[in-house]
Amino acid sequence: MRTRTTVVLFLVFGLASIYAQSNSTLETYQANFASADIQTKLEILRSADSQDPSVFGPLYGQALSYVVSNAEDLLAQPMLREIGLMSVNRINQGGYQGATDNLWRLFDLYEESSARIQILSVLAAVGNDDEIRDLITRWVAEQNTLFRSGQRADLQVTTSAVIALRSFGGSASFSTVLDTILFQFPDFVTAEAQKTLDAVEGSRFELSVAAIRARDVLDKRPAFDYFVESGYLNEADLGAFGAEALADALRASPRGSNERELLRQLRYAAATVVRENLYSEATAVMIRHFNQTVLEFERGIAPKNRVLEAIAGLGAMGNAEAAARLTDYLELLNTYTEVDRPYDSQVVLATIANLRFLGAPESYNALFYTTLLDNYPDTVKDAAREAMEAVSR
């Protein structure tokens, strides 16, 4: 027992002695670096290559601070650049986290692409904090804006920045990375952005809905199409996502005819997703969409096929609420016909067909009245009789 205790004490005191020596050596290096001229500073850093970079992180942080403090000389002073890049490399090797601010400052000051790529790699490894994540996100957003406007963006560095964001987790960069995907960068950029988006933590459904709601009218539809078509969302979530996008489009306040048309097209696309996925929980919003589409059709804004889709959308809901709304609509069409107001046979037939499918007994009277109107052709009356049989069973 005494022998074991002696060994443990020896190891403890031995490690403490080694640490003290290392700490003393580090302080010596730092003191010499602080007082040296630039050439000697570079030699001091070179001589520190034999030291443990995890211990000597403060020296490299000090060196990096010196570089950014003399940023005006970066282009003219090769030794200053070498000090900076050597420090970045050793910070990476040692995992030193105390120099992230200066790493970013060097990235911001020194626009050479390969250096920036290296810095981003180091920040991804050691800069795991919200401030650095936000700075990288903001820089990527600026590149997105440049590229979208047709100006020159640094594609290689943008790719590295998107990769770096992958290491931070969380959802703060979600919208910016989504833009990188949607703004039609070259495939090598987009592929990495997709990987980063896939790596974002949290509910994909909630992230997608939040992204649609937050975007300007101009950018809602491309995001909607991506979430629906890319496989980012589970199939089980598509109907609910379509319902949320439809509600957002109905809720939005367009500024001008262009935005109104963009929102209209988003409504049609979102309602199609709801219909195809038979998402009956969206009945209320599908009724609102139906009402809006009928109004637009009557005003000559929406084509007939959109009304037919809206009718089919209510039929796909498969419940009494949808049947009640279509019954009201058939009664309105009957009133129009009775007073010799023009009607569209396809619209009437689609309404009757979906009432037949829904099978709600409450539709019987409206269907019966349809059979009594002389202005309807036999095809409409026959369809109404068949629907009456279906709803009375």
Side-chain angles (χ1 to χ4, degrees):
M1 186 70 178
R2 183 177 300 172
T3 302
R4 183 177 177 183
T5 303
T6 302
V7 171
V8 171
L9 288 173
F10 174 78
L11 288 173
V12 169
F13 284 116
L15 289 173
S17 176
I18 292 170
Y19 176 79
Q21 291 174 11
S22 298
N23 198 44
S24 176
T25 303
L26 170 62
E27 291 175 356
T28 300
Y29 270 87
Q30 287 187 283
N32 288 329
F33 184 90
S35 60
D37 59 29
I38 187 169
Q39 184 169 352
T40 306
K41 288 181 190 294
L42 181 57
E43 293 303 323
I44 289 171
L45 290 183
R46 287 172 177 167
S47 69
D49 277 351
S50 60
Q51 304 295 328
D52 184 351
S54 64
V55 174
F56 267 53
L59 172 64
Y60 303 114
Q62 178 184 2
L64 201 57
S65 179
Y66 168 75
V67 171
V68 298
S69 296
N70 293 275
E72 68 277 5
D73 297 326
L74 265 173
L75 293 179
Q77 280 277 14
M79 284 189 290
L80 191 63
R81 294 197 297 275
E82 186 174 353
I83 289 172
L85 295 179
M86 185 183 299
S87 300
V88 170
N89 184 52
R90 294 291 278 173
I91 286 170
N92 185 40
Q93 291 175 1
Y96 180 60
Q97 297 181 331
T100 52
D101 288 347
N102 281 326
L103 280 167
W104 181 256
R105 288 179 64 194
L106 183 61
F107 175 91
D108 202 33
L109 293 165
Y110 190 32
E111 296 185 356
E112 201 278 318
S113 293
S114 62
R116 283 185 150 185
I117 290 171
Q118 183 182 2
I119 293 168
L120 286 167
S121 176
V122 178
L123 284 171
V126 304
N128 193 18
D129 63 69
D130 292 349
E131 183 178 359
I132 295 300
R133 177 206 62 206
D134 292 345
L135 288 168
I136 298 175
T137 301
R138 197 173 306 133
W139 186 87
V140 173
E142 291 169 359
Q143 298 304 300
N144 289 344
T145 300
L146 288 174
F147 187 81
R148 191 183 199 186
S149 64
Q151 300 181 59
R152 182 181 178 276
D154 194 324
L155 301 182
Q156 298 292 342
V157 180
T158 300
T159 304
S160 296
V162 167
I163 293 171
L165 287 174
R166 201 177 303 160
S167 68
F168 289 88
S171 60
S173 303
F174 187 88
S175 182
T176 297
V177 175
L178 178 61
D179 282 341
T180 308
I181 296 170
L182 298 179
F183 288 175
Q184 299 183 334
F185 278 86
D187 288 347
F188 70 90
V189 183
T190 303
E192 295 299 339
Q194 288 173 330
K195 291 177 185 176
T196 297
L197 202 73
D198 289 344
V200 172
E201 301 165 354
S203 163
R204 291 191 174 192
F205 171 75
E206 292 178 3
L207 288 167
S208 301
V209 170
I212 291 291
R213 289 176 178 169
R215 299 177 90 75
D216 293 336
V217 172
L218 179 66
D219 295 324
K220 287 181 185 291
R221 178 64 186 276
F224 172 85
D225 289 344
Y226 176 78
F227 291 132
V228 170
E229 298 169 4
S230 67
Y232 179 78
L233 289 171
N234 294 327
E235 287 190 16
D237 288 332
L238 286 176
F241 175 70
E244 292 288 350
L246 180 56
D248 181 68
L250 286 164
R251 187 169 51 241
S253 300
R255 295 170 295 183
S257 58
N258 182 52
E259 288 196 359
R260 269 191 294 274
E261 180 60 25
L262 289 172
L263 289 170
R264 192 176 296 122
Q265 295 302 321
L266 176 59
R267 275 178 30 227
Y268 299 151
T272 297
V273 171
V274 173
R275 184 183 77 242
E276 290 178 348
N277 287 275
L278 304 177
Y279 186 67
S280 61
E281 293 180 44
T283 300
V285 72
M286 289 292 277
I287 289 174
R288 289 171 56 204
H289 168 66
F290 172 83
N291 294 343
Q292 185 67 25
T293 304
V294 168
L295 179 62
E296 291 165 348
F297 175 63
E298 292 181 349
R299 292 177 176 176
I301 299 171
K304 179 172 63 177
N305 69 299
R306 296 305 187 184
V307 179
L308 298 176
E309 290 173 358
I311 292 169
L314 289 186
M317 297 298 94
N319 54 40
E321 292 83 1
R325 182 63 188 93
L326 284 180
T327 300
D328 289 344
Y329 186 53
L330 180 60
E331 290 175 346
L332 177 65
L333 293 173
N334 288 343
T335 300
Y336 287 168
T337 304
E338 196 171 21
V339 298
D340 290 328
R341 179 169 171 173
Y343 66 91
D344 188 289
S345 293
Q346 277 186 285
V347 172
V348 178
L349 285 168
T351 304
I352 292 171
N354 280 277
L355 285 172
R356 177 183 177 181
F357 172 76
L358 289 167
E362 293 79 8
S363 303
Y364 186 90
N365 289 341
L367 290 165
F368 176 67
Y369 200 77
T370 302
T371 67
L372 302 178
L373 295 175
D374 291 336
N375 290 349
Y376 281 134
D378 289 342
T379 52
V380 171
K381 294 179 180 180
D382 290 343
R385 291 187 186 97
E386 292 175 3
M388 286 167 59
E389 293 180 11
V391 303
S392 62
R393 289 178 191 143

